[in-house]
């Protein structure tokens, strides 16, 4: 009798555990992200879509953990008239000021020919623009801008 109840309780436990796992189809994947601790030697952060932050030697005086994530979760609202499909990249820590400019490369949406990046220096300041240059060719166009601070960016 004890064995029968033990089996039933075990089966119930397994069923509850499997139910807690969910189907997985409705789960939202985490946004693409890269992070690294960089220092005076510089370095690079890169996302699978080609977005990159290039930190030259001497841009940092001390080691610092930098992060780039493709997400608009905490970003200010995009300016009126911009596509809701524009990707937003957040590069942190906000407020970091480099000794030398760093280079940010962002994928250019199809059909874009204007080398202008949207930049939000802070949530309070909202979005502004910065001229850059388009590099690459074909479907591998990138907008390249130089910055001395970190923030939210879009093309």
């Amino acid at each position: 009798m004890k064995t029968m109840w033990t089996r039933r309780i075990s089966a119930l436990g397994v069923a509850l555990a499997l139910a807690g796992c969910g189907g997985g189809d409705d789960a939202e994947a985490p946004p693409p992200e890269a992070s690294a601790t960089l220092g005076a030697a510089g370095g690079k952060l890169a996302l699978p879509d080609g977005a990159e932050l290039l930190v030259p030697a001497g841009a940092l005086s001390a080691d610092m953990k930098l992060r780039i994530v493709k997400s608009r979760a905490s970003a200010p609202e995009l300016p009126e008239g911009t596509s809701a499909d524009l990707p937003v990249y957040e590069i942190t820590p906000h407020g970091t000021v480099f000794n030398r400019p760093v280079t940010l490369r962002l994928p250019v949406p199809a059909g874009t020919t204007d080398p202008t990046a949207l930049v939000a220096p802070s949530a309070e300041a909202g979005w502004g623009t910065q001229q850059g240059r388009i590099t690459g060719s074909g479907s591998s166009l990138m907008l390249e801008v130089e910055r001395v601070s970190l923030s939210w960016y879009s093309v």
Side-chain angles (χ1 to χ4, degrees):
M1 187 72 145
K2 186 176 182 181
T3 304
M4 179 180 73
W5 282 106
T6 303
R7 281 190 215 143
R8 287 183 180 175
I9 290 173
S10 294
L12 178 62
V14 170
L16 289 173
L18 289 175
C21 290
D25 292 340
D26 295 336
E28 192 173 311
E33 177 180 329
S35 65
T37 299
L38 302 179
K44 174 173 101 169
L45 297 178
L47 294 180
D49 69 354
E52 295 180 323
L53 175 66
L54 305 163
V55 179
L60 290 168
S61 300
D63 288 355
M64 177 178 289
K65 184 173 183 173
L66 300 175
R67 176 178 165 260
I68 181 172
V69 61
K70 185 178 179 180
S71 172
R72 61 175 61 200
S74 62
E77 287 284 323
L78 284 168
E80 191 173 317
T82 57
S83 171
D85 295 335
L86 284 180
V88 173
Y89 298 87
E90 181 179 15
I91 305 176
T92 58
H94 292 282
T96 299
V97 177
F98 294 97
N99 300 326
R100 299 178 53 196
V102 299
T103 301
L104 178 61
R105 292 186 184 137
L106 300 176
V108 174
T112 302
T113 57
D114 181 14
T116 303
L118 292 172
V119 178
S122 70
E124 299 79 30
W127 293 93
T129 59
Q130 178 181 344
Q131 285 297 113
R133 69 177 185 269
I134 294 181
T135 62
S137 62
S139 62
S140 300
L141 294 178
M142 302 294 278
L143 178 69
E144 194 171 283
V145 294
E146 290 189 344
R147 301 287 300 166
V148 293
S149 62
L150 301 178
S151 186
W152 290 277
Y153 303 89
S154 190
V155 175

